[in-house]
Amino acid sequence: MEKVITTKKIPFSGKQLGEIISRYPTPFHIYDEKAIVDNAVRLKKAFSWAHGFREYFAVKALPNPHIMKIFSDMGFGADCSSMAELILAEKVGISGESVFFSSNDTPADEYVKAAGMGAIINLDDITHVGFLEENAGLPDLISFRYNPGPLRDGNAIIGKPEEAKYGLTREQLCRAYETVRGRGVKRFGLHTMVASNELDPEYFVDTAEMLFNLLLDINSDLGIKFEFINLGGGFGIPYRPEQKPLDIEYISEKIKALYDEKISGNGLHPVRIYMESGRMMTGPYGYLATRVIHKKETYKNYIGLDSSMANLMRPGIYGAYHHITVLGKEDWPCDHVYDVTGSLCENNDKFAIDRPLPEIEIGDILVIHDTGAHGHAMGFNYNGKLRSAELLLRPDGSVKLIRRAETIEDYFATLDFGGL
Ligand SMILES: *Cc1c(COP(=O)(O)O)cnc(C)c1O
C-alpha cells in the first residue's frame, strides 16, 4: 500500500527561521524565491513546444513588485484587473502586451489606464465594447472572455459557469467579434476561465479543447483569425499533504496533441497559448510564520496566535485547509487536537479546527503552509488588525524585506483627529 503523506516540508531550518524572527518579528509571510523560479522554469519548459507561450502572472494572488519582477525577468507578463494592479505592473516596468487586463465590472478610468499602457484588453461583456470605445477608444487588439454556460465538454464537467458573473455567452461572443471587427479592430484573442483551485488535469485539457473548437467555429463562420487563446487561471495546488500537484507536463502534452490536430491540422498555426495562473505560481512557496501567545482550555482546546484571519483569510471564509508545522516538533506525534485561532472578534477566525498536532506550548513558532497566493493579498484591517510584513528568502539563504509591516500610524493615516 502507498504510504499516505501527512507532513509538508519547509525551506528553512528551525535555527534559520529563529534568526529571521530575531530580525523581523512575527507574524510575517515569507516566500521561497528558488522554489518560485524552479516551478516557473518547469512551466516554461513544459510548454516550450508552443510558439509564443506565455504565462501572465495573476497579480492579485501576490501583488508585490519584487515577486512580479522575478516573473518579468523570466519573460512572463502580468495579469491585472484593477487600477492598482496596472500601476504595480507599470512600476515594475511591465507594459504593452506584457500586460493582460482581465477585469470585470470595469470602471472607465481603468480602461483608459490599460489602453494607455498598451495592455491587451480582455472584455468581460458585449456592452463593454461601446463603453471602452467611448472612454478609451478601441485598440487594434481585443480579446473576449467566454462563459460556456451549462455544458459538458470532453471528460470533465466544467464547473457551473452559468452561475458565474463573468464572460459572454457563445452567441454574444460571435456578435462581439463581428462588431469590433466592423469598428476597426484587427487582431483578436479568446479567453476563458472556468476553474478555481482545480487539481484535475483533464479540466485544463478540456478547457483548451473547448477554446480550440470555438476558435475553429468562429474562424469558419466569421473568417476571424485568432492570435491567441488564454486558458485563464485556476490551476490548483495541493494544500493537503496527501494531495498531488498538477502534472503540468501531462497537461502540456495533451494540449499539444489537440493543437496539432485542430490548429495546425486546419492551417491556423500559429495561435499562441497564454495562461494567467496565480495560485500555482506562488501559492506553495509562501509560509506564514506566527507565534503561539495563548493556550486556552474550555469546551475545546485552543491555541491562540499572534496573527489572525486578517493575515490569511482562506480558512475563515472558505474553510480552506492550510497545513501547519510546529517548528522543532516536525517528528513529534500528532496526538493533540486543537482549534488554532487568531485574535479577531469573529468566531470564524480559526486557521484550523479539530487539527491533530503535536503538543503545543506558548512561545512555539507555527509555520502555516501555502500562503504564497491569496494570502497576504486578501488581508484586511477589520478590528484594527495590521497587515504583516512580507519577506523573500533568496536562493543564497539571505532574506530581503519586500514589504514592511503596517504600523498603527498607517492604520490611522486616513483619519483626521482635528476638530473633535
Ligand atoms: C483570480 C484570477 C486569476 C488567477 O487565479 P488563480 O486561481 O490564482 O490561478 C486569473 N485570471 C482571472 C481573470 C482571475 O480572476
Side-chain angles (χ1 to χ4, degrees):
M1 227 177 74
E2 213 179 327
K3 193 168 177 296
V4 178
I5 299 165
T6 55
T7 56
K8 274 184 168 243
K9 288 199 166 57
I10 48 178
F12 25 69
S13 66
K15 181 164 171 282
Q16 208 180 352
L17 188 58
E19 282 163 8
I20 299 168
I21 290 170
S22 69
R23 290 167 58 205
Y24 306 103
T26 57
F28 55 76
H29 290 266
I30 182 164
Y31 310 116
D32 179 356
E33 179 175 347
K34 179 171 188 307
I36 290 173
V37 170
D38 288 350
N39 177 67
V41 166
R42 180 181 160 193
L43 175 68
K44 252 175 109 158
K45 185 157 170 267
F47 279 92
S48 57
W49 62 266
H51 161 86
F53 169 79
R54 200 163 202 199
E55 149 73 2
Y56 288 81
F57 175 62
V59 173
K60 76 167 190 260
L62 180 42
N64 188 299
H66 298 270
I67 301 290
M68 291 164 68
K69 181 72 166 49
I70 294 172
F71 290 128
S72 162
D73 287 347
M74 299 187 67
F76 290 179
D79 170 48
C80 301
S81 56
S82 68
M83 181 63 87
E85 291 175 4
L86 287 168
I87 293 172
L88 263 175
E90 191 173 47
K91 285 187 182 291
V92 177
I94 309 170
S95 67
E97 290 179 21
S98 295
V99 175
F100 206 94
F101 188 57
S102 243
S103 58
N104 70 94
D105 190 18
T106 311
D109 61 338
E110 296 186 4
Y111 278 140
V112 171
K113 180 71 184 169
M117 288 171 69
I120 300 176
I121 296 181
N122 185 42
L123 296 179
D124 185 64
D125 192 53
I126 191 162
T127 62
H128 288 212
V129 173
F131 187 79
L132 175 63
E133 190 171 32
E134 265 168 45
N135 289 289
L138 287 179
D140 268 6
L141 167 64
I142 282 281
S143 173
F144 287 101
R145 178 171 183 162
Y146 174 48
N147 181 329
L151 58 76
R152 213 172 201 283
D153 203 88
N155 322 325
I157 301 161
I158 304 203
K160 270 205 164 221
E162 72 274 24
E163 301 287 342
K165 66 172 176 170
Y166 309 109
L168 289 78
T169 67
R170 189 183 170 116
E171 179 273 322
Q172 289 172 334
L173 200 64
C174 296
R175 264 197 292 138
Y177 284 113
E178 256 189 317
T179 304
V180 295
R181 182 176 56 185
R183 298 192 197 167
V185 171
K186 301 210 162 45
R187 302 168 56 205
F188 305 91
L190 173 60
H191 170 280
T192 199
M193 173 159 167
V194 286
S196 180
N197 192 28
E198 181 56 57
L199 278 172
D200 179 355
E202 302 303 339
Y203 223 91
F204 301 98
V205 177
D206 289 354
T207 300
E209 182 168 26
M210 176 180 82
L211 290 183
F212 289 151
N213 286 337
L214 186 56
L215 180 156
L216 285 175
D217 287 352
I218 298 176
N219 178 264
S220 69
D221 292 354
L222 304 176
I224 280 178
K225 182 145 174 40
F226 285 89
E227 289 192 11
F228 66 80
I229 61 159
N230 185 330
L231 300 170
F235 295 79
I237 61 168
Y239 285 99
R240 293 177 181 271
E242 69 275 14
Q243 288 175 324
K244 289 202 168 59
L246 273 170
D247 185 342
I248 286 295
E249 288 76 16
Y250 170 87
I251 293 173
S252 169
E253 237 172 74
K254 289 280 197 165
I255 292 180
K256 179 175 190 311
L258 289 166
Y259 184 95
D260 290 345
E261 176 201 332
K262 292 177 188 286
I263 301 300
S264 304
N266 287 293
L268 293 176
H269 173 76
V271 173
R272 295 188 296 276
I273 296 174
Y274 293 163
M275 51 185 268
E276 48 187 35
S277 173
R279 190 185 314 272
M280 186 179 66
M281 304 313 297
T282 53
Y285 316 118
Y287 306 82
L288 174 62
T290 173
R291 186 184 294 274
V292 177
I293 56 171
H294 293 289
K295 273 182 84 168
K296 167 170 172 154
E297 293 172 7
T298 53
Y299 305 100
K300 298 183 89 171
N301 293 331
Y302 295 100
I303 296 299
L305 303 182
D306 64 358
S307 54
S308 73
M309 69 183 284
N311 305 109
L312 178 68
M313 161 148 106
R314 300 186 68 260
I317 59 164
Y318 326 121
Y321 181 93
H322 277 263
H323 196 70
I324 297 176
T325 295
V326 184
L327 201 68
K329 300 184 177 176
E330 289 86 346
D331 302 324
W332 291 29
C334 291
D335 53 2
H336 286 63
V337 173
Y338 297 111
D339 278 17
V340 179
T341 71
S343 53
L344 281 194
C345 300
E346 289 290 334
N347 197 42
N348 62 343
D349 185 14
K350 294 181 178 176
F351 292 99
I353 297 174
D354 298 329
R355 179 75 57 88
L357 287 166
E359 182 166 22
I360 292 176
E361 299 300 342
I362 291 174
D364 279 349
I365 299 295
L366 267 47
V367 176
I368 302 182
H369 291 252
D370 303 307
T371 70
H374 313 289
H376 186 282
M378 289 173 99
F380 55 95
N381 286 121
Y382 179 53
N383 238 188
K385 296 298 169 187
L386 303 177
R387 295 168 75 194
S388 80
E390 294 181 291
L391 307 178
L392 186 63
L393 177 64
R394 308 298 309 276
D396 65 3
S398 65
V399 169
K400 182 173 168 189
L401 181 68
I402 57 171
R403 184 195 299 271
R404 69 163 171 81
E406 283 178 352
T407 64
I408 205 83
E409 288 76 27
D410 293 325
Y411 180 75
F412 288 129
T414 51
L415 289 175
D416 183 355
F417 292 99
L420 287 177

